[in-house]
Amino acid sequence: MLFSVNIDGGLTAFDPRVHRWRKFPSLSFLPYPGSFSLVESGDGGLLCVRCPPSSFVVVCNPMTRTWKELPMSNHKIWTNDDITQMIFNRGTNCYTIVAAHARSGMWTEVYESSSGTWSVKGEPPSSIVFTSRSTAVVQGVMYCAARDITDAIKYPYQYAIVAFDLASGSWSPFLYLLPSEYQDPPHVVDCVGKLFVIAARRSENAIDILNLEPIPRRWIKVSAMPQSMYGEVDSITRSHCVANGNCICLTNVLLWQVVVYDVNDDSWKSLPQYPFNHDALGTFTLSFEPRLSSPV
């Protein structure tokens, strides 16, 4: 399910089972005004919400309308440049939240619902800055999109993927550099158990789907978006990319048009036009599967 949190607190989603857009109850049950605008991540039927102005963090189940405020982290003020990833363990009904900052004052913190505490982990590599909020978790490793600033004057558009090992709580010093032809910030998604990168060749108005071949560590172009669809997305810098099932969804958050790539059959399609009020739409999407049984 492709999920959007609107600026009025309402929830809308595209349900692939019935192939149509649906409305859900709003997040108005949360105790903090405006909190609906800062949904950071979600998994297992839960949402992680940052509540301004003091950056309280709340985990909620929008289906059961239950919520819990998390204890304050060591780095009390998160910014829109930080990345956040929630990982829900369906075996234990527990979840992990990773939050990281890769600009001045780098830090990483991890919250474990099993202990109810935050812990400080290793700092991100000093040679990078995060370039999007998209993250992907594959086989216990969280991947993030970043820009390599080692030689920013000579290579101002050198983008890379960085990796955080969830078990050890440490970042790999190795950067998975993208080919130089990709000069816009990329997005990462985890789909069918694999890491995919959505990257744009700006000079050609083209968007590619890439997959990392571990040995010998090279990028393979899986597919290219048909040129006839490029106008629907327009720019990858104005898009959000999420994976749901075997599909990768690219959403233009200004036009609210969605293009979908099916990994299994290597096909592209457009979703039906959004039927509700565009003025109330938010600018963040995520993959979401409603679960009544997920505890906060």
Side-chain angles (χ1 to χ4, degrees):
M1 200 174 271
L2 178 66
F3 211 60
S4 172
V5 183
N6 306 337
I7 60 175
D8 59 0
L11 305 176
T12 55
F14 182 81
D15 190 338
R17 295 169 300 181
V18 294
H19 200 66
R20 67 182 178 91
W21 292 94
R22 302 176 58 182
K23 283 191 173 183
F24 284 84
S26 76
L27 296 182
S28 59
F29 63 91
L30 293 179
Y32 309 105
S35 60
F36 46 76
S37 64
L38 294 172
V39 173
E40 297 286 347
S41 184
D43 193 23
L46 302 178
L47 298 177
C48 176
V49 184
R50 176 163 56 97
C51 304
S54 301
S55 290
F56 291 106
V57 180
V58 169
V59 170
C60 70
N61 186 327
M63 299 298 106
T64 60
R65 300 175 71 80
T66 55
W67 62 275
K68 178 174 71 175
E69 182 182 313
L70 303 189
M72 191 70 74
S73 61
N74 293 280
H75 298 85
K76 297 180 176 60
I77 303 298
W78 294 359
T79 72
N80 291 333
D81 294 322
D82 302 339
I83 58 101
T84 307
Q85 173 71 56
M86 171 181 274
I87 305 107
F88 186 82
N89 187 321
R90 287 160 177 78
T92 63
N93 268 354
C94 295
Y95 55 86
T96 299
I97 297 173
V98 182
H101 181 81
R103 291 185 183 268
S104 58
M106 294 185 169
W107 53 265
T108 307
E109 290 199 50
V110 174
Y111 175 83
E112 298 287 355
S113 67
S114 57
S115 63
T117 58
W118 290 93
S119 57
V120 176
K121 302 297 182 181
E123 295 180 357
S126 59
S127 61
I128 62 102
V129 292
F130 296 132
T131 56
S132 78
R133 297 172 63 194
S134 68
T135 55
V137 176
V138 180
Q139 297 181 354
V141 178
M142 182 184 74
Y143 297 92
C144 310
R147 184 165 62 90
D148 182 7
I149 57 174
T150 304
D151 195 348
I153 296 177
K154 187 176 181 181
Y155 303 105
Y157 301 110
Q158 180 59 72
Y159 293 100
I161 306 303
V162 294
F164 177 77
D165 185 87
L166 294 169
S168 65
S170 60
W171 292 87
S172 170
F174 182 82
L175 304 182
Y176 299 94
L177 298 177
L178 290 178
S180 58
E181 63 193 283
Y182 298 107
Q183 296 193 346
D184 279 328
H187 296 264
V188 295
V189 298
D190 49 289
C191 187
V192 296
K194 298 179 181 179
L195 171 68
F196 290 90
V197 171
I198 301 90
R201 288 176 280 128
R202 187 194 309 170
S203 61
E204 302 174 46
N205 286 341
I207 293 177
D208 295 336
I209 306 291
L210 308 177
N211 179 232
L212 180 65
E213 189 178 79
I215 301 174
R217 284 202 179 105
R218 62 179 180 179
W219 293 101
I220 304 298
K221 185 167 76 171
V222 176
S223 185
M225 179 187 292
Q227 278 292 323
S228 59
M229 289 183 167
Y230 184 82
E232 298 181 43
V233 177
D234 183 40
S235 168
I236 199 169
T237 59
R238 291 195 290 270
S239 299
H240 282 162
C241 302
V242 300
N244 185 274
N246 55 293
C247 293
I248 298 173
C249 306
L250 290 75
T251 304
N252 183 312
V253 295
L254 297 181
L255 304 175
W256 201 250
Q257 294 178 316
V258 184
V259 173
V260 177
Y261 172 67
D262 191 308
V263 173
N264 287 350
D265 61 17
D266 189 27
S267 65
W268 293 82
K269 65 180 179 181
S270 300
L271 293 189
Q273 189 71 32
Y274 186 81
F276 306 122
N277 178 17
H278 286 70
D279 294 337
L281 283 170
T283 57
F284 185 60
T285 59
L286 70 159
S287 179
F288 185 82
E289 297 295 339
R291 288 171 58 96
L292 295 173
S293 59
S294 296
V296 298

